[in-house]
Amino acid sequence: DVKVTQSSRYLVKRTGEKVFLECVQDMDHENMFWYRQDPGLGLRLIYFSYDVKMKEKGDIPEGYSVSREKKERFSLILESASTNQTSMYLCASSSPGGQRNEKLFFGSGTQLSVL
Amino acid sequence: AQSVTQPDIHITVSEGASLELRCNYSYGATPYLFWYVQSPGQGLQLLLKYFSGDTLVQGIKGFEAEFKRSQSSFNLRKPSVHWSDAAEYFCAVQSGGGADGLTFGKGTHLIIQP
């Protein structure tokens, strides 16, 4: 069964801490994505990557960075966590195939609380 | 820029009744359209998608959606809902050309009454 795994289901951090959210996929997908999900706002794209060492800004990249050193792993980094980054973070992956992003596979999410 | 509007934040439906969730998109060319469902505590699961061809698409769990270009809509329907359909539903759009991610609507929370 295909799988996108996010390393933590719940995470509590303090303001100013550096935070790493890890995502691993076992489907050999080229494309990987980080979204944040907030009540009433839906999902918003933070960053995405279509290849190793490649990254592109999404709609709300401010305060975040990413790393893709290996094809299967895509990390989201909060350089200095702030309370407004408290959110549910969802990782997804897809393979271009015949039609790009024909299907996104999502992880179960990481609920991050910044105190 | 592409955008998606789901006008209904919450919808309450009785079990066994029919369902229609609305979705309107804004995009210049023919978009790729999706419906995802998120059950409590779960990630998102793809229900169905439209790329081209027949404007009525069938998905999993008995759902279907109809693409209407003239109305810029992609409404999700189900003839008879089950209590297990209670979830958050997201409509999404993607421009046809790139590898960039989908743009999601804000979601519709579906409540099923017994």
Side-chain angles (χ1 to χ4, degrees):
Chain A
D1 198 12
V2 297
K3 194 173 283 186
V4 177
T5 302
Q6 295 182 232
S7 55
S8 303
R9 184 71 180 92
Y10 298 96
L11 212 52
V12 179
K13 296 292 182 180
R14 295 201 177 278
T15 303
E17 279 192 77
K18 189 170 186 175
V19 181
F20 292 86
L21 302 183
E22 305 288 347
C23 176
V24 177
Q25 50 96 2
D26 64 359
M27 296 164 283
D28 201 35
H29 283 168
E30 286 82 359
N31 303 331
M32 295 188 75
F33 308 85
W34 275 107
Y35 287 88
R36 65 176 281 176
Q37 182 180 11
D38 300 286
L41 297 178
L43 278 75
R44 293 178 291 169
L45 182 64
I46 305 171
Y47 266 98
F48 63 98
S49 167
Y50 52 86
D51 202 352
V52 175
K53 297 193 184 295
M54 304 298 289
K55 60 184 179 182
E56 295 287 341
K57 293 180 180 179
D59 299 318
I60 52 164
E62 296 78 19
Y64 302 95
S65 62
V66 291
S67 173
R68 184 125 183 245
E69 296 296 319
K70 294 184 178 181
K71 190 176 185 180
E72 67 271 18
R73 186 179 298 270
F74 191 36
S75 303
L76 180 69
I77 304 158
L78 286 66
E79 294 289 342
S80 178
S82 63
T83 55
N84 63 13
Q85 293 179 308
T86 291
S87 185
M88 171 68 80
Y89 290 88
L90 293 170
C91 175
S93 73
S94 74
S95 182
Q99 291 168 311
R100 293 180 184 270
N101 292 327
E102 179 170 334
K103 181 176 180 178
L104 288 183
F105 292 86
F106 281 87
S108 297
T110 296
Q111 178 63 53
L112 172 67
S113 297
V114 182
L115 306 178
Chain B
Q2 61 205 32
S3 66
V4 177
T5 301
Q6 292 180 248
D8 304 304
I9 298 173
H10 301 279
I11 280 190
T12 300
V13 177
S14 298
E15 190 169 14
S18 64
L19 170 70
E20 182 169 34
L21 302 182
R22 296 184 290 166
C23 172
N24 293 96
Y25 67 90
S26 172
Y27 180 64
T30 299
Y32 293 168
L33 295 161
F34 306 78
W35 274 100
Y36 280 82
V37 61
Q38 185 181 35
S39 298
Q42 303 295 314
L44 276 74
Q45 180 183 22
L46 179 67
L47 282 176
L48 47 79
K49 60 185 183 288
Y50 171 79
F51 288 160
S52 64
D54 192 349
T55 55
L56 184 63
V57 293
Q58 302 297 320
I60 62 171
K61 303 185 180 186
F63 285 92
E64 66 178 25
E66 186 171 13
F67 171 59
K68 292 185 178 180
R69 184 188 302 277
S70 61
Q71 299 177 19
S72 297
S73 69
F74 189 56
N75 294 348
L76 182 71
R77 300 194 295 248
K78 186 170 184 178
S80 176
V81 297
H82 186 261
W83 63 267
S84 61
D85 293 324
E88 192 84 16
Y89 291 80
F90 294 95
C91 182
V93 63
Q94 184 210 321
S95 60
D100 47 324
L102 276 62
T103 297
F104 285 84
K106 295 181 179 182
T108 296
H109 184 59
L110 177 62
I111 300 165
I112 307 296
Q113 281 183 335

